[in-house]
Amino acid sequence: MLTYILRRIAATVPVMGLVALFVFSLLYIAPGDPAAIIAGDQATVQQIAHIRASLGLDRPFLVRFADWFWHVLHGDLGTSIFTNLPVLKMIEQRAPTTLSLMTITLVMSIAIAVPMGVLAAWKAGTWIDRTIMVMAVLGFSVPVFVVGYVLAYAFALQLPWFPVQGYVSLSHGFWPWLRSLILPSLTLGGIYIALIARITRATMLEVLSQDYIRTARAKGVGRREILYVHALKNAAVPIVTIIGIGFAALIGGAVVTESVFALPGIGRLTVDAILQRDYPVIQGVVLVFSFIYVLVNLVVDILYTVFDPRIRY
Amino acid sequence: MGMKRRTFLGASAAALAAPAVARAAGVLKFIPQADITILDPVWTTAYVTRNHGFLVFDTLYGTDAAFNASPQMVEGHVVDNGGRLWTMKLRDGLKWHDGERVLARDCVASIRRWGARDAFGATVLQFADEIAAPDDRTIRFRLKQPFPLLATALGKAASNSCPMMPERLAKTDPFKQVTEMVGSGPFRWNARERVVGSLAVYEKFQGYVPRPGGVASGTAGPKIVHYDRVEWHIIPDAATKMAAMQSGETDWWENPPADNALVLKADHSLVTRILDPTGLMGCMRLNHLVAPFDNPAVRRVVLDAVRQEDYMVAVAGTDPAMWHVPTGIFAPGTPMASDVGLGRFTAPKDFGKLEAALEKAGYKGEKIVLLLPTDLPELKAEAEVSADMFRRMGFNVDAQASDWGTVVQRRASMKPVAEGGWSVFSTFWTGLDQLSPAGHVFLRGQGKAGGQPGWPSSPAIEALRNQWLAAKDVKTQKELAVKLQQQAFIDVPYIPLGQFFQNTSYKKSITGVLDGIPVFWNVRPA
Amino acid sequence: MSITLGGVAAAPELPDVLPPRRARGRVMRFVVQHPTIVAGGLLLGVMVFIAIFAPWLGTRDPEAISPIYRLRPPQAAYWFGTDMLGRDIYSRVIYGSRVSLGVGFSVAILASGIGMAIGVVSGFVRWLDMALMRIMDGLMSIPGILLAIALMALTRGSVYNVVVAITIPQVPQVARLVRGVVLTLREQPFVEAAVASGTRLPKILIKHIVPNTMAALSVQATYICASAMVIEAILSFIGAGTPPTIPSWGNIMAEGRALWQIKPYIVFFPAVFLSITVLAVNLLGDGLRDALDPRLAKRL
């Protein structure tokens, strides 16, 4: 097990290197010039060239890449062209927001979707089942931002239960923190809820048709026990899988959700950085994202062994 | 403006009683137009950075609501030697946020750094033989020729304003950003609580001494602070900003778009009104280096095709109180503005005739590239109206959509359109910048040497501008301004698209919001 | 795994809930056996019809600007109202179906095609497998939307770029799916027999491998198609989508979003069209999966 984990981590190193080179090259050939954005509307072409030189943006590609990569290897992601702050610090500042958002989204989605899926499977073929499943498809048919606006209008303006925007850090207390994240998490969770509900239903149906469940039923084991002890335990593996796969979608959705609810997260940091061509920030964030992605999938693989002892590495 | 010996010294002596001692209370929550990613108001012209600059940094002069410069950090000045020698004296008791005294040599270094970046500032440096600090409180300008606009330049509220910094910061290369925020303004920058893209915090500077006497107006007069803390909440999405005002989570939204403002106006707990009466001036720039707009006759046909109302409705909505047409090259209602030649901007358009005129002018169907920024709604609307207009005139239009970051890089290219060049882009510029030829970036004709994208070349405009700068009285200035406008409609360095106003919206529970740029002194709980 | 979708809209399964019955006529039997295919197919057919016949459906020039008529609510002259520049939203939504469907179909076809090629090569050519899969891992670990924004900044905004930007992050998913199928197929007796009898590789691919991956692939393609249409809308929201001169459901919604509280119809109509289309494609995908491969439906 331990050697497996170590091997997996070792295998990610070349992947991360590839990602770094890819992103760096992409930015290098992309048009858009941070110097011109800084200089503003009235700047002359000469002034822009001057700023470019002072930012070191006029050096050759390989020199810049080598310089950057050398620093990354030493744990230094560079400094933002615009704010002059260390990229690592900017990411540190933003990470708690995005991590909180994702955690609550995950917890909430599972709490809502798994019972939905179980219910649909238990009532398979009835109108309850069909209603739940149509809702699940609609969940990912409506764009995230539309869901966000509607939720904010209903539960923050018409019914003033939650704040319209902003993030309250956990250091200000659990309830204020949770309150600031409930609407964004519901918005972001739409896709997840849909995915998990469907996968739960599908696996439950399969498990429920298995012999040992039938036997248990015949023996008069209670309905609740069958559902939650026997069936759901076996459905855990595919649910965990979908969580790992859905992570990439979650990051994409977070970009939009953070904009709609004005949360200072990593998603918005990235979009702002791309629009301003703040190269060090973009590179740093993408590197961090791909690292987290790899990490999440590693955790998912490890969870397999926990839920299903038959899987061995 | 007679340039005899003239003094402002002791101007405040006549003022009434000392200002009431400010009772600082609570927090003011403000939604700015954008995030202040750049903190140095000399390094960038971004308006949001300029506004931030006025909290942290003080200026030698201020500009009041009637556009007059009046002393702010200086007590006053004396003009000698036929207008060639200015001696300014700093007020007593001015302190930097790090506790040091404000010295004249700090100010001299700050003026030099600003002059290296700002167009008006460059004119100051160009007219000055010497800028010196003979003692701790005296700043002396020795000029090549009389420059009556010196106080106006040092007190300009338009970007780049001339912020005073300690000498150690002001010595920074003007092309490198200053990020240590030590000024002498009424607020201190709280770097610890800053979250880029989300929150900026300013705290009342206890050591600030407001100018005694007078009335706060624009950036002039006493800057009395009534809040312990001003928080800028950066919210990217317009619908969310509006919701934050409706739910009362924020106190003041700098610039709600026209259609949102209509809703906010109906809200009885809010005041929604125009903040800056000089508004924003739409400007369309044609690329003078590249066919077909290298041909002045073609440019003039485009000039005649522009119907300013179309632009203004698209940008600022159907309420005619929110925009003004026709406008010429100077902000309407200000001293230099005139109606000469403006009939064309309101006349009905016959696109068949325009197409014929275009052919006659020598347009041969060359492709024109129109830069269309997608991430700034006002600029996007301007570009979309232009695209429609060019198409109807019979131009072969290629509207290229990209983000603003790409537009600013693209427009620096002098190449033909086939090699990545461009033909036309539009933007807007505050009316404050277009009060006179001095700071009017678009009204230049230096060609390639000017380095302004579009590279218009017009010796006639440059000559008129120089005459204006040296003009001795307002009457002469006005006459020259009319000639400039006539010349601008012949050479077409750019095309004015109209003036529109931006609303600001704040809670009825706050009062004392000053006209002009958003400032945070004088504002107080009602 | 038919649900390996890093995109936004992935739908693992929507099973037949109606029990099979004896039916007269083949059409009736098909309808009863595959109600989801029929429902999805019909809805999608309507959308395709709208896209093709847009100019004859009572529309006017979707790009014509008339600021004087801006923000009119839905009425007889403007069925869906007008937007901020006075353009007719009905015409924009109808013409917008061309972009949204076009993007959805192109991405689905491109991603499946390229992904299939990479997956087959990876599954058959051992020495390339490692390298290809690492590159796919790398591509997969860059969040799709971020990659799309970066690609959009790379060149000018255009529908073509939207397609490329959405396709790239989808390719690894398909490649992995196909590779998985190929690896199982390779061990099957009929493929082993073909290899042993000296059949050339291209022939094996065309005769045995490609047909056998089609089931999984076509299901996957429908989900990619659905998610591509949603991502197009999200890209427009960020300002990196279809250029504003070309109407798409995404950019109509993105332009109207600041006003959605006051003028909800600007966002409402394109959102309804988008939701119906995505629903249709997902239903079709679910139905296809059940029809093409019953084992696949049961498996994950």
Side-chain angles (χ1 to χ4, degrees), chain C:
Chain C
M1 297 246 290
S2 60
I3 30 85
T4 36
L5 240 205
V8 173
E13 186 187 21
L14 193 72
D16 275 349
V17 286
L18 297 175
R21 273 212 196 114
R22 236 181 50 168
R24 290 183 205 105
R26 290 173 59 196
V27 175
M28 266 316 285
R29 194 160 65 221
F30 186 82
V31 168
V32 171
Q33 279 180 345
H34 308 288
T36 46
I37 295 191
V38 175
L42 275 179
L43 274 177
L44 194 62
V46 171
M47 287 299 162
V48 172
F49 175 86
I50 287 175
I52 293 173
F53 295 100
W56 297 280
L57 294 175
T59 54
R60 56 191 90 189
D61 180 358
E63 292 167 42
I65 286 171
S66 46
I68 304 151
Y69 298 108
R70 73 196 294 269
L71 297 176
R72 296 286 160 99
Q75 53 191 267
Y78 305 101
W79 294 349
F80 293 177
T82 63
D83 69 2
M84 282 76 77
L85 294 170
R87 293 173 299 202
D88 179 34
I89 296 174
Y90 170 72
S91 307
R92 290 179 73 73
V93 169
I94 296 298
Y95 275 94
S97 59
R98 293 183 166 183
V99 172
S100 296
L101 290 175
V103 167
F105 292 158
S106 323
V107 170
I109 292 167
L110 279 174
S112 334
I114 300 170
M116 169 131 174
I118 295 174
V120 165
V121 170
S122 195
F124 257 103
V125 190
R126 279 252 158 89
W127 60 272
L128 260 176
D129 186 28
M130 184 72 183
L132 278 176
M133 280 301 114
R134 287 294 80 77
I135 293 173
M136 291 297 114
D137 281 348
L139 272 184
M140 228 163 155
S141 77
I142 302 174
I145 291 212
L146 301 184
L147 187 65
I149 305 167
L151 282 174
M152 207 53 59
L154 189 77
T155 46
R156 49 186 290 203
S158 70
V159 181
Y160 170 79
N161 275 334
V162 171
V163 169
V164 174
I166 304 176
T167 302
I168 291 179
Q170 304 281 5
V171 167
Q173 323 257 7
V174 181
R176 294 187 137 219
L177 175 81
V178 173
R179 175 176 170 271
V181 177
V182 170
L183 285 182
T184 5
L185 284 174
R186 214 172 52 182
E187 313 302 327
Q188 299 286 319
F190 62 94
V191 176
E192 280 185 343
V195 174
S197 64
T199 318
R200 290 173 61 88
L201 189 61
K203 202 176 170 194
I204 297 178
L205 288 180
I206 292 166
K207 220 174 151 193
H208 298 296
I209 305 296
V210 172
N212 280 297
T213 50
M214 280 319 275
L217 200 59
S218 59
V219 173
Q220 177 82 351
T222 56
Y223 299 140
I224 292 178
C225 174
S227 77
M229 288 189 281
V230 178
I231 295 175
E232 191 272 332
I234 289 177
L235 284 180
S236 296
F237 174 89
I238 301 166
T242 311
T245 44
I246 303 167
S248 80
W249 294 336
N251 67 23
I252 302 169
M253 281 190 279
E255 282 175 8
R257 72 180 198 271
L259 301 177
W260 84 273
Q261 239 193 66
I262 346 161
K263 311 280 177 192
Y265 54 87
I266 306 180
V267 173
F268 177 76
F269 290 108
V272 166
F273 273 70
L274 178 66
S275 302
I276 291 177
T277 311
V278 173
L279 186 69
V281 175
N282 274 325
L283 288 176
L284 196 64
D286 288 341
L288 270 182
R289 191 232 327 264
D290 296 347
L292 289 174
D293 188 349
R295 275 175 309 138
L296 203 65
K298 286 258 171 66
R299 253 180 34 207
L300 269 172

Side-chain angles (χ1 to χ4, degrees), chain A residues 11-232:
Chain A
T12 60
V13 173
V15 175
M16 304 281 296
L18 263 171
V19 169
L21 184 65
F22 178 72
V23 172
F24 202 93
S25 330
L26 198 66
L27 292 177
Y28 180 75
I29 43 176
D33 182 353
I37 299 172
I38 290 160
D41 251 352
Q42 75 170 59
T44 63
V45 175
Q46 293 87 330
Q47 283 178 329
I48 294 173
H50 200 137
I51 293 178
R52 198 178 297 129
S54 78
L55 293 173
L57 294 175
D58 53 349
R59 293 175 301 158
F61 171 73
L62 278 177
V63 175
R64 279 166 58 194
F65 180 72
D67 187 44
W68 175 72
F69 201 70
W70 181 248
H71 282 98
V72 169
L73 289 180
H74 291 76
D76 173 12
L77 292 178
T79 47
S80 155
I81 292 175
F82 284 80
T83 63
N84 252 5
L85 294 170
V87 173
L88 207 57
K89 194 191 159 206
M90 290 173 83
I91 293 176
E92 270 171 27
Q93 237 179 8
R94 304 297 199 102
T97 315
T98 305
L99 286 179
S100 306
L101 176 65
M102 290 195 170
T103 312
I104 295 187
T105 304
L106 207 64
V107 172
M108 237 161 55
S109 306
I110 294 173
I112 295 174
V114 171
M116 264 172 74
V118 172
L119 185 66
W122 192 257
K123 302 272 179 195
T126 66
W127 64 270
I128 298 179
D129 176 28
R130 260 170 271 167
T131 314
I132 290 177
M133 285 303 105
V134 168
M135 271 168 60
V137 181
L138 278 177
F140 42 70
S141 306
V142 184
V144 180
F145 58 93
V146 176
V147 178
Y149 288 144
V150 172
L151 284 178
Y153 185 73
F155 300 109
L157 280 181
Q158 294 305 314
L159 303 167
W161 296 350
F162 303 104
V164 168
Q165 50 86 36
Y167 170 70
V168 181
S169 116
L170 194 52
S171 60
H172 290 86
F174 179 76
W175 173 237
W177 170 76
L178 188 65
R179 203 168 154 261
S180 73
L181 288 169
I182 285 184
L183 290 184
S185 302
L186 270 177
T187 305
L188 183 56
I191 305 159
Y192 241 24
I193 292 173
L195 273 176
I196 298 175
R198 299 185 65 171
I199 206 80
T200 309
R201 178 185 178 279
T203 14
M204 288 296 283
L205 276 181
E206 201 184 335
V207 175
L208 286 175
S209 66
Q210 305 253 318
D211 291 343
Y212 70 94
I213 299 277
R214 287 193 191 149
T215 316
R217 259 189 196 175
K219 278 188 179 166
V221 177
R223 171 180 136 175
R224 204 163 278 165
E225 201 190 324
I226 289 179
L227 275 182
Y228 288 102
V229 178
H230 298 285
L232 199 55

